[in-house]
């Protein structure tokens, strides 16, 4: 999936590369998620409603990461694509009776189209920025309850993201950045036994990354 996202980003920015500043960014960090309500409607599992407290396990394989492609129209405004490989695991003891697995760990992926505002060199060489956008949630849905087992990627609903951070140049082409990044996704996934699982998830992340400009 990450190769497909990278190819999409390149196809997105290629027509503009000759006439604008293009920035490719790669980031990782610490990502978490608060509890959310889960609703299961399935002819085999039955009807379940419960809340799960999540954790991100950012450094556990597969790790949390993101890829971003931005076209800066000028010194202030830009837009682009952002793919984030978020993850949510139930905390220990959170799974309801009968469930062996219920998680989005490869991952709770989001792909958004974002707009950005930056303030170039507002604090010496430091450039703060904010951004936000809308797109899709594409999680890897993993649910096991008895003989019902769902395991695979699905497009489950809309997603939104919001970002605030600052970047610092290393040289004319490379820079480093730190940021806060939040996401919201509404997920309605199909179960292999004919039902659905639904949950809306917020994630919070503190990211560090590197960008290449051309």
């Amino acid at each position: 999936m990450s190769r497909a996202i990278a190819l999409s980003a390149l196809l997105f920015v290629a027509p503009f590369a000759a006439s604008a500043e293009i920035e490719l960014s790669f980031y990782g960090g610490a990502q978490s998620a608060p509890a959310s309500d889960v609703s299961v409607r399935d002819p085999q599992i039955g009807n379940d409603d419960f809340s799960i407290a999540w954790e991100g396990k950012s450094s556990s394989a597969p790790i949390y990461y993101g890829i971003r492609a931005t076209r800066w129209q000028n010194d202030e405004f830009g837009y682009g694509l952002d793919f984030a490989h978020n993850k949510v695991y139930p905390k220990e003891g959170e799974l309801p009776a009968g469930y062996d697995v219920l998680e989005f760990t490869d991952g709770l992926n989001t792909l958004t189209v974002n707009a950005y505002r930056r303030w170039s060199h507002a604090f010496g060489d430091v450039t703060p920025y904010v951004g936000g956008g809308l797109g899709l949630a594409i999680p890897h849905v993993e649910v096991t309850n008895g003989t019902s087992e769902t395991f695979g990627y699905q497009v489950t609903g809309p997603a939104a993201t919001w970002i605030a951070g600052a970047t610092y140049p290393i040289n004319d082409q490379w820079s480093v950045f730190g940021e806060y990044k939040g996401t919201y996704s509404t997920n309605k996934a199909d179960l292999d036994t004919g039902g659905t699982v639904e949950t809306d998830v917020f994630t919070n992340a503190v990211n560090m990354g590197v960008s290449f400009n051309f």
Side-chain angles (χ1 to χ4, degrees):
M1 175 171 285
S2 60
R3 291 181 180 178
I5 298 301
L7 178 60
S8 297
L10 290 173
L11 292 175
F12 178 81
V13 302
F16 309 104
S19 60
E21 177 189 350
I22 304 302
E23 184 175 69
L24 298 179
S25 303
F26 308 88
Y27 58 86
Q31 174 254 307
S32 62
S36 70
D37 294 329
V38 179
S39 177
V40 175
R41 299 290 182 268
D42 186 83
Q44 183 166 310
I45 297 174
N47 296 337
D48 284 333
D49 295 284
F50 47 87
S51 180
I52 287 185
W54 305 106
E55 58 182 334
K57 297 184 181 180
S58 303
S59 59
S60 299
I63 64 170
Y64 161 73
Y65 69 90
I67 304 169
R68 186 178 299 156
T70 305
R71 175 186 186 254
W72 291 102
Q73 295 180 279
N74 51 47
D75 285 341
E76 296 181 344
F77 297 103
Y79 64 90
L81 292 174
D82 188 311
F83 171 79
H85 182 79
N86 307 292
K87 305 189 300 174
V88 289
Y89 295 80
K91 291 185 177 179
E92 186 175 352
E94 284 292 308
L95 276 178
Y99 289 86
D100 298 309
V101 179
L102 201 169
E103 59 191 43
F104 305 95
T105 54
D106 196 24
L108 182 54
N109 306 299
T110 56
L111 179 64
T112 57
V113 178
N114 296 351
Y116 303 96
R117 169 70 162 93
R118 66 181 177 182
W119 292 265
S120 295
H121 307 294
F123 303 102
D125 288 333
V126 176
T127 296
Y129 59 89
V130 295
L134 299 172
L136 295 173
I138 317 168
H140 191 269
V141 183
E142 301 178 33
V143 181
T144 302
N145 182 312
T147 58
S148 175
E149 183 174 2
T150 301
F151 188 86
Y153 291 102
Q154 300 184 35
V155 177
T156 56
T161 190
W162 51 95
I163 302 163
T167 184
Y168 183 86
I170 299 173
N171 54 39
D172 289 343
Q173 289 190 300
W174 292 93
S175 60
V176 294
F177 63 92
E179 66 184 22
Y180 162 78
K181 185 173 190 280
T183 65
Y184 169 78
S185 62
T186 179
N187 301 279
K188 184 175 182 179
D190 295 325
L191 299 174
D192 285 355
T193 43
T196 60
V197 56
E198 295 185 57
T199 187
D200 298 339
V201 179
F202 286 93
T203 67
N204 298 290
V206 177
N207 296 328
M208 297 294 292
V210 61
S211 295
F212 176 72
N213 300 273
F214 60 94

